[in-house]
Coordinates of all heavy atoms in Angstrom, one line a residue:
D302 N 1.9 -11.1 -21.3 CA 1.4 -11.9 -20.3 C 0.4 -11.0 -19.5 O 0.7 -10.5 -18.4 CB 2.5 -12.4 -19.4 CG 2.0 -13.4 -18.4 OD1 0.8 -13.7 -18.3 OD2 2.8 -14.0 -17.6
Y303 N -0.8 -10.8 -20.1 CA -1.8 -9.9 -19.5 C -2.3 -10.3 -18.2 O -2.6 -9.5 -17.3 CB -2.9 -9.7 -20.5 CG -2.4 -9.1 -21.8 CD1 -2.4 -9.9 -23.0 CD2 -1.8 -7.9 -21.9 CE1 -1.9 -9.4 -24.2 CE2 -1.3 -7.4 -23.1 CZ -1.4 -8.1 -24.2 OH -0.9 -7.6 -25.4
D304 N -2.5 -11.6 -17.9 CA -3.0 -12.1 -16.7 C -2.1 -11.7 -15.5 O -2.6 -11.2 -14.5 CB -3.2 -13.6 -16.7 CG -4.3 -14.1 -17.6 OD1 -5.1 -13.2 -17.9 OD2 -4.2 -15.2 -18.1
A305 N -0.8 -11.9 -15.7 CA 0.2 -11.5 -14.6 C 0.2 -10.0 -14.5 O 0.3 -9.5 -13.3 CB 1.6 -12.1 -14.9
G306 N 0.1 -9.3 -15.5 CA 0.1 -7.8 -15.5 C -1.1 -7.3 -14.7 O -1.0 -6.4 -13.9
I307 N -2.2 -7.9 -15.0 CA -3.5 -7.4 -14.3 C -3.4 -7.8 -12.8 O -3.8 -6.9 -12.0 CB -4.7 -8.1 -14.9 CG1 -4.9 -7.4 -16.3 CG2 -5.9 -7.9 -14.1 CD1 -5.9 -8.0 -17.2
V308 N -2.9 -8.9 -12.4 CA -2.7 -9.2 -11.0 C -1.8 -8.2 -10.3 O -2.0 -7.7 -9.2 CB -2.1 -10.7 -10.8 CG1 -1.7 -10.9 -9.4 CG2 -3.2 -11.7 -11.2
L309 N -0.7 -7.8 -11.0 CA 0.2 -6.8 -10.5 C -0.4 -5.5 -10.4 O -0.2 -4.6 -9.5 CB 1.5 -6.8 -11.3 CG 2.5 -7.9 -11.0 CD1 3.7 -7.7 -11.9 CD2 2.9 -7.9 -9.5
L310 N -1.4 -5.2 -11.3 CA -2.1 -3.9 -11.2 C -3.0 -3.8 -10.0 O -3.0 -2.8 -9.3 CB -3.0 -3.7 -12.5 CG -2.3 -3.3 -13.7 CD1 -3.3 -3.3 -14.9 CD2 -1.7 -1.9 -13.6
Y311 N -3.6 -4.9 -9.6 CA -4.3 -5.0 -8.3 C -3.4 -4.7 -7.1 O -3.7 -3.9 -6.2 CB -5.1 -6.3 -8.1 CG -6.2 -6.5 -9.1 CD1 -6.3 -7.7 -9.8 CD2 -7.2 -5.5 -9.3 CE1 -7.4 -7.9 -10.7 CE2 -8.2 -5.7 -10.1 CZ -8.3 -6.9 -10.8 OH -9.4 -7.1 -11.7
S312 N -2.3 -5.4 -7.1 CA -1.3 -5.2 -6.1 C -0.8 -3.7 -6.1 O -0.6 -3.1 -5.0 CB -0.1 -6.1 -6.3 OG 0.9 -5.9 -5.4
L313 N -0.6 -3.2 -7.2 CA -0.2 -1.8 -7.3 C -1.2 -0.8 -6.8 O -0.9 0.2 -6.1 CB 0.1 -1.4 -8.8 CG 0.7 0.0 -9.1 CD1 2.0 0.2 -8.4 CD2 0.7 0.3 -10.6
A314 N -2.5 -1.1 -7.0 CA -3.5 -0.3 -6.4 C -3.5 -0.3 -4.9 O -3.6 0.8 -4.3 CB -4.9 -0.8 -7.0
V315 N -3.3 -1.5 -4.3 CA -3.2 -1.5 -2.8 C -2.0 -0.8 -2.3 O -2.1 0.0 -1.3 CB -3.2 -3.0 -2.4 CG1 -2.9 -3.1 -0.9 CG2 -4.5 -3.7 -2.7
K316 N -0.9 -0.9 -3.0 CA 0.4 -0.2 -2.6 C 0.2 1.3 -2.6 O 0.6 2.0 -1.7 CB 1.5 -0.6 -3.5 CG 2.0 -2.1 -3.3 CD 3.0 -2.4 -4.4 CE 3.2 -3.9 -4.5 NZ 4.0 -4.3 -5.7
T317 N -0.5 1.8 -3.7 CA -0.7 3.2 -3.9 C -1.7 3.7 -2.8 O -1.4 4.8 -2.3 CB -1.2 3.5 -5.3 OG1 -0.3 2.9 -6.3 CG2 -1.4 4.9 -5.6
L318 N -2.7 3.0 -2.6 CA -3.6 3.3 -1.5 C -2.9 3.5 -0.2 O -3.2 4.4 0.5 CB -4.8 2.3 -1.4 CG -5.8 2.5 -0.3 CD1 -6.6 3.7 -0.6 CD2 -6.7 1.3 -0.2
L319 N -2.1 2.5 0.1 CA -1.4 2.5 1.4 C -0.4 3.7 1.4 O -0.2 4.4 2.5 CB -0.6 1.3 1.6 CG -1.4 0.0 2.0 CD1 -0.6 -1.2 2.0 CD2 -2.2 0.2 3.3
L320 N 0.2 4.1 0.3 CA 1.2 5.2 0.3 C 0.4 6.5 0.5 O 0.9 7.3 1.3 CB 1.9 5.2 -1.1 CG 2.9 6.4 -1.3 CD1 4.0 6.2 -0.3 CD2 3.4 6.4 -2.7
F321 N -0.7 6.7 0.0 CA -1.5 7.9 0.1 C -2.2 8.0 1.4 O -2.7 9.1 1.8 CB -2.4 8.2 -1.1 CG -1.6 8.6 -2.3 CD1 -1.6 7.8 -3.4 CD2 -0.9 9.8 -2.4 CE1 -0.8 8.1 -4.5 CE2 -0.2 10.2 -3.5 CZ -0.2 9.3 -4.6
T322 N -2.3 7.0 2.2 CA -3.0 7.0 3.5 C -2.0 6.6 4.6 O -2.4 6.2 5.6 CB -4.2 6.0 3.5 OG1 -3.8 4.7 3.2 CG2 -5.3 6.5 2.5
V323 N -0.7 6.9 4.4 CA 0.3 6.5 5.4 C 0.2 7.2 6.7 O 0.7 6.7 7.7 CB 1.7 6.7 4.8 CG1 2.2 8.1 4.8 CG2 2.7 5.8 5.4
K324 N -0.6 8.2 6.8 CA -0.8 8.9 8.1 C -1.5 8.0 9.1 O -1.5 8.3 10.3 CB -1.6 10.2 7.9 CG -3.0 10.1 7.5 CD -3.7 11.4 7.4 CE -5.2 11.2 7.1 NZ -5.9 12.4 7.1
Y325 N -2.2 6.9 8.6 CA -2.9 6.0 9.5 C -1.9 4.9 10.0 O -2.4 4.0 10.6 CB -4.1 5.4 8.8 CG -5.1 6.4 8.5 CD1 -5.4 6.8 7.2 CD2 -5.9 7.0 9.5 CE1 -6.4 7.7 6.9 CE2 -6.9 8.0 9.3 CZ -7.1 8.3 8.0 OH -8.1 9.2 7.7
N326 N -0.6 5.0 9.7 CA 0.3 4.0 10.0 C 0.8 4.1 11.5 O 2.0 4.1 11.8 CB 1.5 4.1 9.1 CG 2.4 2.9 9.1 OD1 1.9 1.8 9.4 ND2 3.7 3.1 8.8
R327 N -0.1 4.1 12.4 CA 0.3 4.3 13.9 C 0.8 3.0 14.5 O 1.6 3.0 15.4 CB -0.9 4.8 14.7 CG -1.1 6.3 14.5 CD -2.3 6.7 15.3 NE -2.3 6.3 16.7 CZ -2.0 7.1 17.7 NH1 -1.8 8.4 17.4 NH2 -2.0 6.7 18.9
I328 N 0.3 1.9 14.0 CA 0.7 0.6 14.6 C 1.8 0.0 13.8 O 1.6 -0.8 12.9 CB -0.5 -0.4 14.7 CG1 -1.7 0.3 15.5 CG2 -0.1 -1.7 15.4 CD1 -3.0 -0.5 15.4
S329 N 3.0 0.6 14.0 CA 4.1 0.2 13.2 C 5.4 0.6 13.9 O 5.5 1.3 14.9 CB 4.0 1.0 11.9 OG 4.2 2.4 12.1
A330 N 6.5 0.1 13.3 CA 7.8 0.4 13.8 C 8.1 1.9 13.6 O 8.8 2.5 14.4 CB 8.9 -0.5 13.2
D331 N 7.7 2.5 12.5 CA 7.9 3.9 12.2 C 7.3 4.8 13.3 O 8.0 5.6 13.8 CB 7.1 4.3 10.9 CG 7.9 3.9 9.6 OD1 9.1 3.5 9.7 OD2 7.2 3.9 8.6
Y332 N 6.1 4.5 13.7 CA 5.5 5.3 14.7 C 6.2 5.2 16.0 O 6.4 6.1 16.8 CB 4.0 4.9 14.9 CG 3.2 5.8 15.8 CD1 2.9 7.1 15.4 CD2 2.8 5.4 17.0 CE1 2.2 8.0 16.2 CE2 2.1 6.2 17.9 CZ 1.8 7.5 17.5 OH 1.1 8.4 18.3
R333 N 6.6 4.0 16.4 CA 7.3 3.7 17.6 C 8.7 4.5 17.6 O 9.1 5.1 18.6 CB 7.6 2.2 17.8 CG 8.3 1.9 19.1 CD 7.4 2.1 20.3 NE 8.2 1.8 21.5 CZ 8.2 2.5 22.6 NH1 7.4 3.5 22.7 NH2 8.9 2.1 23.6
N334 N 9.4 4.4 16.5 CA 10.6 5.2 16.4 C 10.4 6.7 16.5 O 11.3 7.4 17.1 CB 11.3 4.9 15.0 CG 11.9 3.5 14.9 OD1 12.1 2.9 15.9 ND2 12.1 3.0 13.7

């Protein structure tokens, strides 16, 4: 099911980008804690 796999690859790219730039996560419950 390549269509579903490719959609998840886009989602994976966004998740990975967020993981590697987590230092910008100031507006969050983490930062408040």
